[in-house]
Amino acid sequence: MTYTPYHPQSLEPALQQRWEAEGRFRAPAYPDGEKFYALAMFPYPSGQLHMGHVRNYSIVDAIARYQRMRGKTVLHPMGWDAFGLPAENAALKNGSAPAAWTFSNIEHMRGQLRRLGLSYDWSREIATCTPDYYRWEQWLFLKLYERGLVYQKLSAVNWDPVDQTVLANEQVVDGRGWRSGALVERREIRQWFLRISAYADELLAGLDSLQGQWPEQVLAMQRNWIGRSEGAEIHFPLADGSGVIKVFSTRPDTLFGATYLAVAPEHPLAEQAAAANAQIAAFLARCKQGAVSEASLETQEKEGVYLGIEVRHPLTGALLPVWAANFVLMGYGEGAVMSVPAHDQRDFEFARKYGLPLRVVIRVDDADPGADELQAAITAPGTLIHSADFDGLPSAVAKVAITEALAAKGLGQKTINYRLRDWGISRQRYWGTPIPMIHCPHCGVVPVPEAELPVVLPTHYQLHDPRSPLRDDPTFLEVACPKCGAAAQRETDTMDTFVESSWYYARFACPDAEQMLDQRAAAWLPVDQYVGGVEHAVLHLLYARFFNRLLRDVGLLPKDGAHDEPFRRLLTQGMVLKDGSKMSKSKGNTVDPQAILDRYGADTARLFILFAAPPEQSLEWSDQAVEGAHRFLQRIWRMVQEYSLPLTPLPVRLGPAARELRRAVHQCIERVSSNMAERQHFNVAIAACMELSNQLGRVEAAPGEDLHAVLGEGLQALLLLLSPFAPHLTEALWERIGDGQALFTHPWPEVDAEALRSDTVSLVIQVNGKLRERLDFSATSSPAELEQAVLTHPDMARHLSGKEVRKVIVVPGRLINIVVA
């Protein structure tokens, strides 16, 4: 026979051109039958794919192709998260415009993705930096402003002095900006906020519906970030009678142990004290050099200064000093905390440093240590001591009793607090969505009229420094006030780029809609399978869940409960490592996907990266394993071409060898199907295909024989099972050996239960619970027959010789355990 060599470098581009010409993967406007929306977190157009991209997109493509073969209408789109600092930084470095750099990168990366043969519906492609996309988030901003869910206030922020912009708390890593690495400073500026705190309870409750569908790690991270806690609001009257300081505490049972109050450096009382005290002023100025994220505050050295102010304990009337401390956040409650150094480790360290008193009010395990004996705070609940009328109460009971006592005096109440803070979306950089607001000297802050949207971002600027050119461009800046017509100025802050990525999944459902979303969004949402990195557990995933509810509440998605969550199922893929480390240019351990494609082809790259590890685990790069994946595909290519046509129909009765081979075929179908549908362990599925290929490769049969017929069935099943992982090779081979129906429309192979039936059963044989043999017996044997057969089996003689058999335990279909003396 004539054998055609396997040349993926020519085969794959030809098939990709055919797929594109046929519109092979274009989804209809509305699902036809059962829908399946498969989505990977869309990329930033950096200009080059890396192996993490290849892994992420190969995972989703395998899922999308499998679901199509299951008969579902699949939506599988791709787009670009195109605003952000990298484009500005590259423009600064190269003296170019961010827009030109961004669109050039998009064009290059689009070509790389096409070369991978990913089954995208490219007709739905979106780029978030285009006005026809971001106009709708400007529209939503105005709608939320009308509802009081957008507001502006003076706020202490994380300021990156290199990137010249505000950073969200989540973007501060070890006190440094997540992109620039610069030490973050604390500043007070006016910022725009989205009131995500209004949705705290709903976001928390919604996590329960995702149990079992999202990784537990992600659910835990979101629960911790939202941070719902029940406690008491406690009022400490100022000693001079001028007001009260309100604090929130989850441990009102420790109230009698409070020895001082601590307020944030930005607290009005601290600023008043600083006006008359140089030492306090110097401390507050020093605090401005640090970040305002909780993570940064926890790790920095605890410092403070006494403000010369005292408050009265709400239940005892004792005077307590008020300190300003660098670990207190102005955004937490009202910027003040009750400090109980004997029962809070942070307060303990601060009190020891500054010689403040400790008062033990909780006894654990009948111990009553003196304050001077403490080596660390006693943080566990226990029984109250030194707490007046509340002595002897367990902490849980005392929390309620003390809260009720405060309420009776009008100095407190039971309350619920959240760690979640409103989302500051203002960024002082240029390459982002303009915030659609106008500042008028007469009318104040005025929304841009809806008819004037979008507020288009000029794209012609050549950047020379980090300062936003919007602040110096009169053609953008100067505008008439929509209310009074007076000269006014546009807002020059742009939106946090996480705004764009918080709703793109919905726009993919209706990318040409003449409104933000139309009815097609409700038909396709929620996303059935979402795939991306666990590093987005708080930032992107929480914001997207928030935005999905905003879209619902402004009437763009149904209020039916089924559309509350944006992503039904989440898979967080592991990293791609080389030499035990994450791939990075700085470490010199990167692998260029293009080089792999050029040498081996897309199918080899995809097969290797899906076979090397379960998708949620890290993957260690191996050049030898890539070569092994390529050899496996070559073997399949050769084996199918060597099969003697025509196909032999399956006879009614099969001989023993043909029955065993057919059982292996359908065991493989069963194994691959279960791993595709539930566990999504593609590595196990591919391993099953490799095992079947070895079994099929050992068969020698002429046309007309029953073995030849089963070999043909097995080769067909193998191509169908491999098609989600190696779509080019399998489609090309299917045209030779298929059943006449195109591979991409062919249903997933089904298991024939009759084929799985066996005349024999393989059982594990144990002696005193230890594995000794694996033996085959008749599948129809009774337990008594199995007992007799195993005791007389020649392979068991060496295990039983000289031993007294006390008992034989038969577990049908699994094992036999022989208990001997």
Side-chain angles (χ1 to χ4, degrees), residues 36 38 58-74 76 119 529 569 606 669-680 682 685 720-725 727 743-744 746-750:
F36 192 91
S58 296
I59 289 169
V60 183
D61 196 59
I63 294 170
R65 289 176 180 272
Y66 167 75
Q67 294 294 344
R68 287 191 187 95
M69 295 178 76
R70 281 296 189 192
K72 297 176 185 176
T73 305
V74 172
H76 186 201
S119 60
Q529 180 67 69
R569 191 173 184 181
R606 292 163 57 128
I669 295 172
E670 183 177 50
R671 190 175 172 195
V672 174
S673 298
S674 65
N675 278 282
M676 292 297 292
E678 297 301 328
R679 300 168 61 207
Q680 296 179 331
F682 309 122
L720 293 170
L721 297 174
L722 280 173
S723 62
F725 316 120
L743 179 66
F744 72 93
H746 202 287
W748 188 255
E750 297 292 339

Side-chain angles (χ1 to χ4, degrees), residues 1-4 638-644 736:
M1 61 164 289
T2 302
Y3 174 74
T4 304
R638 183 172 56 253
M639 189 162 49
V640 171
Q641 292 208 52
E642 289 173 350
Y643 180 79
S644 300
R736 169 182 171 81

Side-chain angles (χ1 to χ4, degrees), residues 462-501:
Q462 301 287 319
L463 301 187
H464 303 290
D465 61 65
R467 178 181 168 84
S468 171
L470 297 177
R471 304 180 194 178
D472 306 314
D473 183 354
T475 62
F476 176 84
L477 194 61
E478 296 175 3
V479 64
C481 172
K483 277 191 175 180
C484 70
Q489 290 191 337
R490 289 194 188 279
E491 173 65 70
T492 57
D493 282 0
T494 54
M495 295 188 199
D496 181 0
T497 55
F498 280 100
V499 174
E500 280 85 65
S501 60

Side-chain angles (χ1 to χ4, degrees), residues 55 59 571-576 614-619:
R55 188 181 197 194
I59 289 169
L571 188 158
T572 51
Q573 89 281 359
M575 295 185 295
V576 180
E616 69 277 5
Q617 296 181 12
S618 293
L619 176 158

